[in-house]
Amino acid sequence: MYLPPHDPHVDDPMRFKPLFRIHLMERKCATVECMYGHKGPHNGHIQIVKKDEFSTKCNQTDHHRMSGGRQEEFRTWLREEWGRTLEDIFHEHMQELILMKFIYTSQYDNCLTYRRIYLPPSSPGDLIQPGLFKGTYGSHGLEIVMLSFHGNKAKGTKITGDPNIPAGQQTVEIDLAHPLQLPDIENLRDFSELSRIVLEVQEQIRREEQEREQRQEEEEHSQQPASPLGGEGAEGEETAAGAEGKTQDKAPASQPFVLPMGVISRNEDYPRTCRICFYGTGLIAGHGFTSPERTPGVFVLFDDDRFGFIWLELKSFSLYSRIKVSFQNAQAPSREAFDEMLKNIQSLAT
């Protein structure tokens, strides 16, 4: 299991924790051992469910228990997973979220189903190299997000989830056709000024969508075939490339950046310069993924390995840093296979 570093240190390396191992014996026999818990390897089982899917089961879950009971197990888990003690966490809401995570994850006792995920394919025109990133999610701690590019959109898909937004959901969506010009550094400190700029772009996008729908209705009524370049995908991709190119031509290689007053960040050590910003939306929901909605925000590209997202409604900032582990044989065989995988993991979450 690859675990993110302790919150909020997104630039630290991933942590590795063995969950099971297979001993290959003579005459093609094999034994499976569960590595979960603190009492050493013990008897386990692995079953191949279907292509790209397998399950593990521990046959001796008593090896996962500790002499001090659930309280000792919780404190040990907290120290290993979060790098802190319960006394370190003063925020009551954060204590509640951490306890929920412990109860949820510990109930499986290493009886888990694994499904293959692919790394996103890359194209020469991508803003940065797509891939896996560690991101700060407030009281939820660090989570893993997959950044992928789809024409005039970029998507951040959760690979690990939390009680509000489960794994598989699209946590952020970036509109590459709508770059944002940030105000100067003094005005950027004013949250209302940034909010005004973002909401103006949101209204512009709404009008553009209305006009596009109106054109489509008129074309259907006139029964005239659409222009070969008039499709939504082609138009969007061309607009994105054009807008991005123009913006990057006009914008300096880097510009000063600071979070507006009142925006909360788990990590104060964020970069103070950025390359470019885009309009985006972030997914928020109540516990149990209730009442999900997409809300406006700002995607901030710092460099090739780091980006951020300002959640306007939450007045919160997430910082993301690239995972630099080299995964073997993880590339998608095709764009279609990757898109199908994204659909599958989202359907599992819902």
Side-chain angles (χ1 to χ4, degrees), residues 161-298:
D162 56 56
N164 293 67
I165 309 293
Q169 291 297 324
Q170 195 178 303
T171 176
V172 293
E173 181 176 284
I174 303 102
D175 190 337
L176 300 174
H178 291 89
L180 296 176
Q181 185 63 50
L182 294 182
D184 60 65
I185 199 72
E186 286 305 315
N187 287 326
L188 183 54
R189 295 180 191 275
D190 182 359
F191 179 80
S192 61
E193 176 64 13
L194 180 65
S195 183
R196 180 190 65 79
I197 292 171
V198 173
L199 295 179
E200 280 182 1
V201 174
Q202 184 186 39
E203 177 61 22
Q204 177 190 342
I205 291 171
R206 190 188 63 81
R207 288 197 304 269
E208 289 172 0
E209 287 176 350
Q210 282 183 337
E211 290 169 4
R212 192 180 302 120
E213 289 171 3
Q214 196 172 352
R215 283 199 305 270
Q216 286 175 347
E217 286 178 7
E218 289 171 357
E219 286 174 359
E220 287 171 4
H221 286 133
S222 63
Q223 294 183 343
Q224 290 179 354
S227 163
L229 294 177
E232 185 179 341
E235 180 184 344
E237 288 182 27
E238 187 180 337
T239 306
E244 184 188 326
K246 289 174 187 173
T247 308
Q248 288 176 331
D249 286 344
K250 290 180 182 177
S254 65
Q255 58 192 93
F257 177 81
V258 67
L259 285 175
M261 296 291 288
V263 173
I264 300 167
S265 174
R266 294 285 296 168
N267 194 330
E268 290 300 323
D269 190 25
Y270 62 86
R272 292 311 196 265
T273 59
C274 68
R275 287 184 186 172
I276 192 169
C277 298
F278 291 94
Y279 173 84
T281 58
L283 184 63
I284 63 174
H287 284 181
F289 197 44
T290 54
S291 307
E293 60 173 319
R294 302 209 70 85
T295 61
V298 181

Side-chain angles (χ1 to χ4, degrees), residues 18 57 63-64 100 106-108 121 124 142-143 163 168 175 178 198 236 248 279 285 287 300 303 333 337-338 342:
K57 180 182 179 182
H63 279 64
H64 305 169
M100 285 173 65
S106 62
Q107 68 180 327
Y108 292 105
L142 297 190
E143 299 183 24
D175 190 337
H178 291 89
V198 173
Q248 288 176 331
Y279 173 84
H287 284 181
V300 186
D303 52 45
F338 177 77
L342 279 188

